[in-house]
Amino acid sequence: MSGLVTLFVSSLDTRSERRFDLQITISQLKQKLELITGIPVGNQQLAIYNDDADLQPTKVLDDDQRPLGFYSPADLQVLKVVDTNPSTSLTGQLTDLSGVDKFELSDEQYALRQDSVLAYKQRHKVGRFADKTEPTPAPPLTVDIPIGSRCEVESTEPGLHKRGTVRYVGLTDFGSAGGVWVGIEYDEPMGKNDGSVEGKRYFTCGPKFGVFVRPDRVRVGDYPVEDPFEDEEM
């Protein structure tokens, strides 16, 4: 058995790409891994994975006398080194914080410090410490659509002209978006109401003759009442 294999060596604190002789024993491999990972030989538990995301190893290297090649590792597989007793190793000392004394301040003590983020925000009026300003009300929207004007409402149906008379222009109690609505009395009963919506009256017309639309859908001009029979033969 001869040859080399390239493996990714991964531990809690390290990851590197290394080449190993397939003839070395697992015991010799662990000695090399101690220099790479800082984990003592006696603490090492070795396993080979296809990649870092795998939960189950393909091989567990549990016989120190076997050569590495016995486990048939493939190039670019992951050799994970688990520290079974991190409190005794260098890496364990760096990552195990259970024995580290924590510096703690009470809320009252922190509030008295002048070199804290809280003090900086208070001095510079940042975030919740900023001066409160009243929102500037939006200017009222002006719409140049005179009451009583003849108009035509934009329609999605080809050839359909929805003509009528403007009866109302202004704000309403319905609609969550706010803004100005135009109330129109149609020439024909193709509307949705009689000039009232949700119990409030804005103008008066016959049932199904009234409708409310946004100003951008209304064209004001000389739109006479259409005669539905003008195209019929006598």
Side-chain angles (χ1 to χ4, degrees):
M1 186 185 305
S2 62
L4 299 173
V5 65
T6 300
L7 300 174
F8 289 107
V9 176
S10 176
S11 68
L12 183 63
D13 297 322
T14 65
R15 179 179 170 82
S16 59
E17 183 179 328
R18 304 283 174 162
R19 298 180 69 188
F20 298 104
D21 190 330
L22 291 171
Q23 292 185 330
I24 64 171
T25 65
I26 300 304
S27 177
Q28 293 171 325
L29 175 63
K30 287 182 176 180
Q31 294 176 23
K32 294 179 179 292
L33 292 175
E34 181 175 3
L35 301 177
I36 297 171
T37 65
I39 301 174
V41 170
N43 293 1
Q44 293 179 25
Q45 186 177 76
L46 309 183
I48 293 178
Y49 294 76
N50 284 326
D51 58 53
D52 287 307
D54 282 357
L55 299 178
Q56 295 295 328
T58 60
K59 299 284 176 54
V60 176
L61 283 58
D62 53 1
D63 188 342
D64 288 351
Q65 303 308 312
R66 296 279 189 180
L68 175 60
F70 172 80
Y71 296 96
S72 302
D75 281 333
L76 304 182
Q77 283 187 314
V78 178
L79 173 59
K80 290 191 177 182
V81 186
V82 176
D83 191 345
T84 59
N85 189 10
S87 62
T88 63
S89 65
L90 177 61
T91 53
Q93 295 172 19
L94 294 176
T95 57
D96 183 8
L97 303 180
S98 60
V100 178
D101 292 331
K102 298 180 178 60
F103 177 72
E104 297 181 347
L105 283 176
S106 67
D107 292 341
E108 293 76 13
Q109 291 173 318
Y110 180 70
L112 293 175
R113 295 182 67 97
Q114 298 302 309
D115 58 349
S116 65
V117 175
L118 176 65
Y120 176 87
K121 289 184 175 182
Q122 289 175 330
R123 287 195 301 270
H124 296 278
K125 298 182 178 182
V126 177
R128 60 190 174 96
F129 302 106
D131 294 332
K132 305 299 182 183
T133 57
E134 294 294 330
T136 303
L141 179 63
T142 57
V143 178
D144 186 18
I145 300 179
I147 303 295
S149 302
R150 290 292 298 170
C151 67
E152 188 170 84
V153 178
E154 176 185 307
S155 174
T156 57
E157 300 179 40
L160 177 61
H161 300 156
K162 294 183 177 181
R163 294 184 178 182
T165 304
V166 178
R167 300 300 186 194
Y168 177 86
V169 178
L171 303 178
T172 65
D173 291 341
F174 62 83
S176 58
V180 173
W181 290 84
V182 180
I184 296 171
E185 179 184 3
Y186 280 145
D187 296 337
E188 299 179 52
M190 59 179 63
K192 296 183 178 181
N193 53 62
D194 63 351
S196 64
V197 178
E198 298 177 354
K200 181 172 180 178
R201 181 163 298 281
Y202 298 92
F203 64 94
T204 301
C205 66
K208 299 296 183 181
F209 278 80
V211 72
F212 287 86
V213 296
R214 291 298 190 182
D216 59 355
R217 293 185 57 198
V218 180
R219 294 190 298 271
V220 175
D222 182 17
Y223 295 106
V225 178
E226 291 185 324
D227 182 355
F229 305 107
E230 64 180 358
D231 293 333
E232 295 186 1
E233 297 180 356
M234 299 298 294

